Structure formats: C-alpha cells, structure tokens
Amino acid sequence: MVTAKKRAALAVICAGAMLSGGCSTLNLGGTAWTPQESEAISVASDGSVTEIVQETLDQSYYDLTELEEMINSEVDEYNAENGEDSVEVRSFSNDGSTVTLKLWYSSAEDYAAFNNIEFFSGSIISAQLEGYLFDVSFYRVTDGEISGSEVSYSTVFEDMSAEVVIVQAPMEVHVEGQDVTFISTNAEMISADTVYASGETDEQEALVLPSSKVYEGEEESYAEQKIANRVYIIY
C-alpha cells in the first residue's frame, strides 16, 4: 500500500540518525524552527502539516535518486485518489552529506491517511466528538516550561476554545506561532512552541525491569499500547 512504501523510504533516511549529529534550522512561513528529532512535524494555523526528515547518510549505501522517485510516485498516487495537492513534496535535497526531505499535507486528515497513523489536529470539542476521552494526566506549561504538579483533564477543559494536537509517539511536534499550554505527562517540552512526544512518563523511564504484567503473562493489547503512546498537546 502507499503508506508502506513511503514509510520504507523514510526508514532509509531515518536510519541516518545513527550517523547524524543533528539538524539545521528550517524556515516555515517565516518562523525559524530547528527540529531535534529525526521525525518532526509542524502544524500551521490553517490546518496544514509539514513533515521534515533531515539526516546525514553515508550515501555510498543508498541510491538517492531512486529514493526520491519512490516518494514522488507515492505522493502522485495518493493525490490521484484523494485530490490534487493533498500532499506535496516541498523539497528533497542533498548537499553532499545531508539529505533533507520536506513533505506538506493540506490537512491533518491527509497526514494521517498518507502515513496510516493516528493523528488529530483541531479544537478540543472536535476531538471529543471524534471519540478522544482526554482521560490522562497533564502538565501545565508556562513559557515553555512545565509548571506545577500533574492536573486532570477537567483542568484542561476549563478552556474549551483551546486547540489540541494528538499524535502517536515518538515524534517532535511544532505548533507554528502558538504557545503550548498543556501536555500529557508522556511528553516533554523543547521550547514554548515545540514538544517531544516521547510516549514515556517519568515512571516508565525509571523502570529497569519489565512490568509485572510480563511475568503474569498479561501482555498489553495493541489497543492498550496505542492509548499509552497517545500524546495530547494543548495550545
């Protein structure tokens, strides 16, 4: 399927994370943003999503022309089925040591469908209508820093006009021109407008041995894992 091929192409680039020291600053709509993770997205106020992958590769192991053609083919196929300009390859560049891929999606729905992943961007009310329960703990964020102890979703609901991005971890998420006000406790702040959706809480990171469920033979179901890796970003 479309997503499988595109994911395979991205996997080749993301494999460069083992060889890369970091990413350079990119400009989105006049806003400077420096992704720190190999998979990163930026959500704009018009609902569009920009995905960026930038890594250093030993290019003797990869046919970059073939990789670019594969991605372009998958984009063309998706647009033929879902509408012209639903997805665009904004750039695929190679400066001799670094490969940068930038994909633009006209909507959150296109990003989710093209990548075959769970993703939501919109109002809290719309998210609730989509079935998201927000039944997790949150941290309040002030000026890019977590402030205070955990709070419940009822505190988040005090401002129902707020917007939310819901992603499956791990991923870096940038909300263009906005300040994040709450994050679920399985995420970390990078800056006032950027979050690392790790999918791990402080308690999970502290564990050395597997949980007791493993010993009891009660493995988490796919649905349970999906919920555990779901990250809420409010702004």
Side-chain angles (χ1 to χ4, degrees):
M1 60 189 291
V2 170
T3 299
K5 291 182 180 179
K6 184 262 185 177
R7 275 295 184 193
L10 285 179
V12 172
I13 297 178
C14 289
M18 295 180 292
L19 306 173
S20 175
C23 300
S24 60
T25 299
L26 300 175
N27 190 283
L28 296 172
T31 302
W33 169 46
T34 306
Q36 297 183 17
E37 302 297 325
S38 59
E39 283 208 42
I41 61 169
S42 179
V43 179
S45 58
D46 64 1
S48 63
V49 178
T50 300
E51 178 183 25
I52 297 168
V53 179
Q54 184 178 2
E55 296 296 347
T56 301
L57 299 174
D58 182 345
Q59 295 174 33
S60 63
Y61 291 96
Y62 307 104
D63 185 334
L64 296 179
T65 299
E66 182 179 351
L67 180 60
E68 181 178 10
E69 290 175 351
M70 180 186 299
I71 294 171
N72 285 327
S73 175
E74 295 309 310
V75 168
D76 291 342
E77 182 180 339
Y78 181 88
N79 287 339
E81 296 177 356
N82 297 277
E84 187 177 357
D85 299 327
S86 295
V87 182
E88 296 178 8
V89 178
R90 287 290 171 90
S91 64
F92 186 97
S93 60
N94 168 26
D95 67 2
S97 61
T98 302
V99 176
T100 301
L101 170 66
K102 183 189 293 187
L103 289 170
W104 176 88
Y105 305 84
S106 64
S107 68
E109 292 77 14
D110 286 313
Y111 175 77
F114 188 77
N115 291 283
N116 193 29
I117 59 174
E118 179 183 70
F119 181 78
F120 178 87
S121 178
S123 68
I124 289 179
I125 293 176
S126 296
Q128 288 180 299
L129 292 175
E130 289 288 328
Y132 292 102
L133 301 178
F134 291 77
D135 53 346
V136 298
S137 295
F138 290 85
Y139 288 127
R140 189 186 299 274
V141 177
T142 304
D143 297 328
E145 299 287 341
I146 292 173
S147 58
S149 55
E150 298 179 11
V151 298
S152 69
Y153 63 88
S154 61
T155 302
V156 172
F157 287 172
E158 290 175 1
D159 181 8
M160 294 300 289
S161 65
E163 297 286 300
V164 60
V165 174
I166 304 171
V167 301
Q168 286 290 308
M171 181 183 299
E172 180 176 341
V173 181
H174 171 77
V175 285
E176 186 178 328
Q178 303 292 329
D179 284 347
V180 174
T181 54
F182 293 94
I183 56 173
S184 50
T185 56
N186 56 351
E188 307 165 16
M189 294 303 302
I190 295 177
S191 64
D193 58 5
T194 307
V195 175
Y196 177 51
S198 66
E200 296 183 345
T201 63
D202 291 339
E203 290 79 8
Q204 287 173 314
E205 292 175 344
L207 290 176
V208 176
L209 295 175
S211 70
S212 58
K213 282 189 175 182
V214 174
Y215 297 106
E216 295 170 2
E218 298 177 4
E219 295 184 1
E220 284 187 332
S221 67
Y222 171 77
E224 288 173 329
Q225 293 175 6
K226 185 175 180 180
I227 291 173
N229 287 332
R230 185 180 291 160
V231 176
Y232 295 81
I233 301 166
I234 317 292
Y235 60 96

